[in-house]
Amino acid sequence: MTDDHQTLALVLFSVFIAVTLAITTWVSRRRHGSAEEFYAGGRLFSPMENGFAIAGDYMSAASFLGISGLIALFGYDGLLYSVGFLVAWLVVLFLVAELVRNCGRFTLADVVAARMKERPVRIAAGTASVTVSVLYLVAQMVGAGSLVALLLAGAGQQARTWMVIGVGALMVVYVAFGGMRATTWIQIVKAVLLMGGAIALTVLVLVRFHGDFNALLNTAAERSGHGRDFLAPGLKYGDDWTSRLDFISLGIALVLGTAGLPHILSRFYTVPTARSARRSVVWSIGLIGGFYLMTIVLGFGASAVLGSDAVRKSNTAGNTAVPLLALDLGGGAGSTGGTVLFAVVAAVAFATILAVVAGITLASSASVAHDLYASLRRPRGTPQDAQRAEVAVARVAAVAVGAVAIGLALLAQDLNVAFLVGLAFAVAASANLPVLLYTLFWRRFTTRGAVWSVYGGLIPAITLVVLSPVVSGSPESLFPGMDFVLFPLDNPGVVSIPLGFLMGWLGTVLSPEAADEARHAETEVRALTGAGAA
């Protein structure tokens, strides 16, 4: 990259950081220290505002950088991520959005604890939520490292490392000082910027091919090095039965995982009513649907304009396909148009990463403070004192979660960010979704069933990832020099998700105590009508 690229992109980075820090400062002056203010922004956001914030939370670096890169490298097989992420929102809309808003206050554990013994289910659900959040954070920070490696090509590995650390530090500042209100406004600004950038690039790609999508696909196939196979299934997930099963596993994880993501579920608590939560999802589906359609154009556009080999040469995982596409569409390296467009897209991608990591960090710190800390501590003082202590713990937890995510991101710098998010989705669908659905819809569900469901999905999912080719056994693994692979699939969802449901059922039928019928009835009425909702 030229000095012009670096300077302009860094200026735009700085502008966005300055704006978001100003928002955080403004919000921090208005805070009054209550848990509702910190976790839910006072529940003052409109459905449209929350819909934009949900879209901003969901359209992550995995979407903007990772999916387009996978499509550019693997064609049809990369489409699974776009389709899976989009279809997942139908599960959220029809099964969980309104019911979760009615049953909980701040976290997933609130929903389960409404009809169970609080302490064991809060510890289990809080542990699972923090685990999922950390995995998701790693993906975003890997995206930040890929971006700076492209921007500062001559700066080496040290610059990439410091970028990851810098993103982690910024997200801690956003969460610790601004809480949900600042995080929400940052996500709204980011959603507008991302949609604008994606629309501009999509239009430029289509103009390059005179609006002929068929010509775009044919050119992408020609320049991919795979010919017509590029447009057919099987390039990445079709070599043998293991690859095909991995394809199924990934699809299940993507479709079911969204409904178990802690930072998405927490967004439903920022609106005043369940009807507002449902309308928020409708707003977000419109934005997210349009965005994922555009990632398809951008992915095939990168292959057609740049060639798959050029994308792979820049970043083996394909994470830099979109910035490189912007550089070419603007006029190429050294041109003013190319410099400006590259810098704008790089800055938008960076804004995307910052906004998403802020939302995830807030959700994970809420789980630590509201679920784990609140379950283990002994109550002291007034309820107001307890709330202030809980919020203080949440701010400290944001620092700790950020530090863990930074360390893992430095290990996973060479993996595709969309792939890493797929792992987070698998863990969310294995540990969080079964207990959530059982709680909402199964009358006989018990506390033992809830705890077994969470751990019965979480532990196998993490164990299978550790024993998979993701961690060892291949040149692309986290530890390429080691080989302790016992599980052949990259994504554990096809095994761990059914296990989560099975263990929830098994724990319930083997439970020595019967389900509390009265609390179930109360939860059911509250979920369906909103009566008594916070």
Side-chain angles (χ1 to χ4, degrees), residues 431-510:
N432 291 341
L433 184 63
V435 70
L436 182 60
L437 294 183
Y438 277 146
T439 300
L440 293 173
F441 299 110
W442 190 18
R443 183 179 299 274
R444 292 180 54 201
F445 198 44
T446 64
T447 299
R448 176 181 286 185
V451 173
W452 282 27
S453 179
V454 173
Y455 291 129
L458 176 65
I459 295 173
I462 297 298
T463 302
L464 292 177
V465 169
V466 171
L467 299 177
S468 75
V470 174
V471 175
S472 70
S474 73
E476 295 80 26
S477 301
L478 292 180
F479 302 106
M482 305 175 70
D483 187 356
F484 44 87
V485 175
L486 295 177
F487 182 67
L489 306 183
D490 287 342
N491 193 291
V494 72
V495 175
S496 58
I497 295 172
L499 276 176
F501 282 100
L502 175 63
M503 294 303 294
W505 172 82
L506 193 61
T508 296
V509 298
L510 296 179

Side-chain angles (χ1 to χ4, degrees), residues 45-52 54 89-102 264-265 267-286 288 526-530:
F45 294 101
S46 70
M48 185 182 75
E49 291 169 342
N50 197 45
F52 268 83
I54 290 173
W89 272 105
L90 299 179
V91 179
V92 176
L93 176 61
F94 290 117
L95 286 181
V96 302
E98 186 174 357
L99 304 181
V100 165
R101 172 60 186 84
N102 284 338
I264 297 298
L265 295 176
R267 291 237 53 92
F268 299 135
Y269 301 125
T270 63
V271 288
T273 65
R275 184 169 181 266
S276 298
R278 189 172 62 251
R279 290 173 61 199
S280 296
V281 177
V282 174
W283 270 100
S284 64
I285 283 178
I288 291 167
R526 181 169 161 182
L528 296 175
T529 68

Side-chain angles (χ1 to χ4, degrees), residues 25-86:
T25 302
W26 171 68
V27 169
S28 65
R29 291 177 178 174
R30 301 178 59 188
R31 76 186 186 205
H32 48 77
S34 72
E36 185 172 75
E37 173 70 23
F38 185 80
Y39 297 139
R43 308 189 200 280
L44 298 176
F45 294 101
S46 70
M48 185 182 75
E49 291 169 342
N50 197 45
F52 268 83
I54 290 173
D57 227 346
Y58 195 65
M59 298 184 305
S60 65
S63 304
F64 193 50
L65 301 178
I67 293 177
S68 299
L70 283 174
I71 294 174
L73 296 180
F74 301 107
Y76 183 95
D77 280 6
L79 288 176
L80 175 64
Y81 286 88
S82 287
V83 175
F85 285 152
L86 178 56

Side-chain angles (χ1 to χ4, degrees), residues 1-18:
M1 296 297 110
T2 65
D3 290 340
D4 289 339
H5 290 108
Q6 295 180 8
T7 303
L8 185 56
L10 289 172
V11 167
L12 292 174
F13 285 177
S14 302
V15 168
F16 180 80
I17 291 170

Side-chain angles (χ1 to χ4, degrees), residues 42 87 90 122 133 145 165 212 239 330 381 398 456 485 491 506 529:
V87 172
L90 299 179
R122 283 196 181 278
S133 298
I165 295 171
D212 189 343
D239 291 341
V485 175
N491 193 291
L506 193 61
T529 68

Side-chain angles (χ1 to χ4, degrees), residues 333-415:
S335 67
T336 301
T339 299
V340 170
L341 194 57
F342 172 88
V344 169
V345 168
V348 168
F350 188 68
T352 295
I353 292 164
L354 285 179
V356 173
V357 296
I360 303 167
T361 306
L362 179 60
S364 57
S365 64
S367 293
V368 170
H370 186 63
D371 298 329
L372 300 178
Y373 170 76
S375 298
L376 297 173
R377 69 178 173 83
R378 294 179 179 177
R380 293 179 182 176
T382 65
Q384 290 75 18
D385 292 336
Q387 279 200 11
R388 280 192 288 270
E390 190 177 301
V391 171
V393 170
R395 294 193 170 102
V396 174
V399 179
V401 168
V404 172
I406 288 169
L408 291 175
L410 295 177
L411 284 175
Q413 291 185 61
D414 294 325
L415 296 181

